Amino acid sequence: MKYSGKIVLLSRTAYLPGRDDGFLRQLCDARIELFCVLGVDAQAWEDALDWMCIGEDGQGRHCIVTTSHRDESLAQVIDFAQRFDTRMAHAVQVIER
């Protein structure tokens, strides 16, 4: 799957490393610039991508701005992502998982 540089994840399930780390690695490999998450276990999703970006050696693979949005609507988070300034212009891509 091809990913935009701005991802909004609407999480329907709790983050599970064995199931979800492959997806997060794909986002790192796609060199996205912004990852916003809302829904179930949003903070855990954000933390997992942060740790993945830091890497086991602490040197970091790629810097991705991550945010979790508690008590915000999908429309509010999409608006936030659209307004967020990144190095390159990107459309906001919403993913439900």
Side-chain angles (χ1 to χ4, degrees), residues 24-31 49 52-53 61-62 64:
L24 295 178
R25 273 194 282 294
Q26 288 176 357
L27 296 179
C28 289
D29 292 343
R31 302 191 67 77
L49 188 58
M52 194 168 288
C53 288
R61 296 174 53 188
H62 172 64
I64 299 172

Side-chain angles (χ1 to χ4, degrees), residues 3 6 8 17 26 31 41 57-58 65-68 70 85:
Y3 295 105
K6 292 181 177 181
V8 171
Q26 288 176 357
R31 302 191 67 77
D41 218 11
D57 61 1
V65 175
T66 63
T67 62
S68 59
R70 184 176 175 184
D85 190 29

